[in-house]
Amino acid sequence: MSEQRIIRPTPISGFPEWTPRIRSVELRWLDHIRRGFERYGFSSVETPSVEVLDVLLSKGETSQEIYTLQRLQADADDSSDARLGLHFDLTVPFARYVAQHFNDLVFPFKRYQIQRVWRGERPQEGRFREFTQCDIDVINVDRIPLHFDAELPRIVHEVLTGLDIPAWTLNINNRKVLQGFYEGLGITDPLAVIRAVDKLHKIGADAVREILIDQAGLSSDQAAACLELAEIRGSDTTVVDAVAKLGVSHPTLTAGLDELGEVLDELSDLPSGSVVADLSIARGLDYYTGTVYEATFNDDPGYGSICAGGRYENLAGQFIRRSLPGVGLSIGLTRIFAKLVAEGRITGGRFCPTDVLVVLPSDERRSAALAVAAQLRERGFNTEVYHQAAKIGKQIQYAVKKDIPFVWFPPFDDGRPHEVKNLATGEQVEADPASWNG
């Protein structure tokens, strides 16, 4: 007989996984986020993990980020799966979903979507190849009111504040401000400039200036003006005055500043510094057309955005002959959670959700133990029966290791009552499974 080959278990870079105690905290986070979204009337949807490649590539993303599907045992001439790829975000699949189910939805359609996404990029701190995003979007027919651009940051502020994460700031800008300002400078390809400015926080002003001049074809004065605009920050409408002082005028710029000011006014009741207008925020994706968002940790802005999104005028228009503008925000759950785990800020919750372990004193008493467990479950207690007859001390130790708070002792004989032991206090008392309240 040949010796069995041992495959060494090793973690896969960029694909995080957690122990049960850490996972229990992540599940609580997910429940908290879901409740926060539903509190504002958002409905849950889920789309397939895959989309047709033409859909995924339709809005400016690079093919290098997309994992494609291919069956290991596929015939050489079978390319049926080659046109499918794992989705790299949830916004593009959502646009397809809205178009496909248009007649079954109620508009404005407010949806939330919490799912895994995949990106084929080099893993590093804060960047993963598989991660969970928590998206909220509002999409409407023909026109979507601007107040939704303020409602989404408010929801995210409530949700993230409730998670007690390190201090963070949500930065807001408007793509019309950037486009109008650049066009007012006489720049013929504003989108190229937007993509360059979007790299400002990663590569710095000097490198961006070089890109603007050498690759985007701007003059030194134009590049200087673009970088001067990117330096403007403020938590109120004084940012509008700061832009005006730069001496550039354009109708699109005026429209963008009006929208930005209105959103800031609606969010002015939030704690100071929670929301800041940052005119360096560009969001490089092509489909954003108005308000854009990007949140970072205050003490570690280089870690990357923990929340991002923006307004898109007609992302679903490629699928249906209707104008369907929308606005959305995405919380990067895995990016936030992994940082806190790595820093020891999340040490874990309970190993398992069991409330009560029912002791199995002997194989003959298994039916009685199972009956007690069923009765406790019916009353809302997560209950398990020890898997085999064993010494009581061993069964209690099992409960301790799994963080099970109560151990239930069914009668060892017909003359003894039920008893329950609180492992936190050590107290053991008589109890009735029909009335015990924990």
Side-chain angles (χ1 to χ4, degrees), residues 258-324:
D258 289 344
E259 292 179 5
L260 180 61
E262 185 174 334
V263 172
L264 290 173
D265 280 341
E266 288 208 27
L267 296 172
S268 61
D269 61 303
L270 294 181
S272 177
S274 299
V275 176
V276 173
D278 182 342
L279 302 195
S280 69
I281 301 300
R283 301 301 300 163
L285 296 177
D286 294 352
Y287 56 69
Y288 291 128
T289 57
T291 304
V292 286
Y293 315 94
E294 189 169 287
T296 55
F297 287 121
N298 293 350
D299 62 352
D300 193 4
Y303 181 69
S305 61
I306 61 172
C307 178
R311 173 178 278 251
Y312 43 90
E313 284 309 312
N314 199 21
L315 187 56
Q318 61 186 313
F319 307 109
I320 189 172
R321 294 183 181 278
R322 299 295 298 268
S323 176
L324 293 170

Side-chain angles (χ1 to χ4, degrees), residues 181-211:
F181 187 87
Y182 301 155
E183 290 181 353
L185 289 173
I187 296 171
T188 57
D189 188 2
L191 189 56
V193 180
I194 288 174
R195 293 192 186 115
V197 172
D198 190 50
K199 302 175 182 178
L200 183 61
H201 295 287
K202 297 178 182 178
I203 64 176
D206 290 341
V208 170
R209 181 183 292 104
E210 184 176 337
I211 293 174

Side-chain angles (χ1 to χ4, degrees), residues 129-405:
R129 291 188 283 183
E130 178 184 64
F131 53 97
T132 299
Q133 286 191 181
C134 307
D135 282 24
I136 45 173
D137 283 74
V138 183
I139 200 165
N140 198 30
V141 179
D142 296 332
R143 176 183 174 275
I144 182 167
L146 189 64
H147 65 77
F148 283 118
D149 293 44
E151 181 177 84
L152 298 193
R154 183 178 299 279
I155 296 170
V156 167
H157 178 270
E158 290 183 12
V159 167
L160 293 185
T161 300
L163 291 176
D164 193 28
I165 66 175
W168 56 279
T169 298
L170 179 64
N171 299 296
I172 298 182
N173 197 2
N174 193 297
R175 288 283 284 263
K176 293 178 183 176
V177 172
L178 301 179
Q179 180 176 338
F181 187 87
Y182 301 155
E183 290 181 353
L185 289 173
I187 296 171
T188 57
D189 188 2
L191 189 56
V193 180
I194 288 174
R195 293 192 186 115
V197 172
D198 190 50
K199 302 175 182 178
L200 183 61
H201 295 287
K202 297 178 182 178
I203 64 176
D206 290 341
V208 170
R209 181 183 292 104
E210 184 176 337
I211 293 174
L212 292 176
I213 295 174
D214 295 344
Q215 299 181 25
L218 272 61
S219 68
S220 297
D221 288 343
Q222 287 174 323
C226 292
L227 291 172
E228 193 172 359
L229 176 71
E231 293 175 356
I232 296 176
R233 287 173 57 89
S235 56
D236 54 34
T237 54
T238 56
V239 296
V240 176
D241 299 330
V243 175
K245 292 179 180 179
L246 298 181
V248 177
S249 61
H250 191 277
T252 303
L253 171 62
T254 301
L257 290 173
D258 289 344
E259 292 179 5
L260 180 61
E262 185 174 334
V263 172
L264 290 173
D265 280 341
E266 288 208 27
L267 296 172
S268 61
D269 61 303
L270 294 181
S272 177
S274 299
V275 176
V276 173
D278 182 342
L279 302 195
S280 69
I281 301 300
R283 301 301 300 163
L285 296 177
D286 294 352
Y287 56 69
Y288 291 128
T289 57
T291 304
V292 286
Y293 315 94
E294 189 169 287
T296 55
F297 287 121
N298 293 350
D299 62 352
D300 193 4
Y303 181 69
S305 61
I306 61 172
C307 178
R311 173 178 278 251
Y312 43 90
E313 284 309 312
N314 199 21
L315 187 56
Q318 61 186 313
F319 307 109
I320 189 172
R321 294 183 181 278
R322 299 295 298 268
S323 176
L324 293 170
V327 58
L329 255 174
S330 176
I331 297 174
L333 173 70
T334 303
R335 176 172 285 183
I336 300 172
F337 194 78
K339 177 180 175 64
L340 271 60
V341 171
E343 294 176 350
R345 296 173 186 248
I346 294 176
T347 56
R350 289 172 55 189
F351 187 90
C352 76
T354 304
D355 300 313
V356 183
L357 173 71
V358 178
V359 164
L360 183 62
S362 66
D363 288 334
E364 292 75 20
R365 301 298 296 167
R366 181 177 297 277
S367 295
L370 292 174
V372 171
Q375 193 171 8
L376 290 171
R377 291 190 195 106
E378 288 177 359
R379 300 187 56 240
F381 296 102
N382 298 331
T383 308
E384 62 175 289
V385 177
Y386 194 71
H387 54 279
Q388 64 184 17
K391 292 181 179 180
I392 300 303
K394 183 177 182 180
Q395 298 187 48
I396 292 176
Q397 190 60 31
Y398 172 84
V400 170
K401 289 181 178 180
K402 291 188 67 175
D403 304 320
I404 301 172

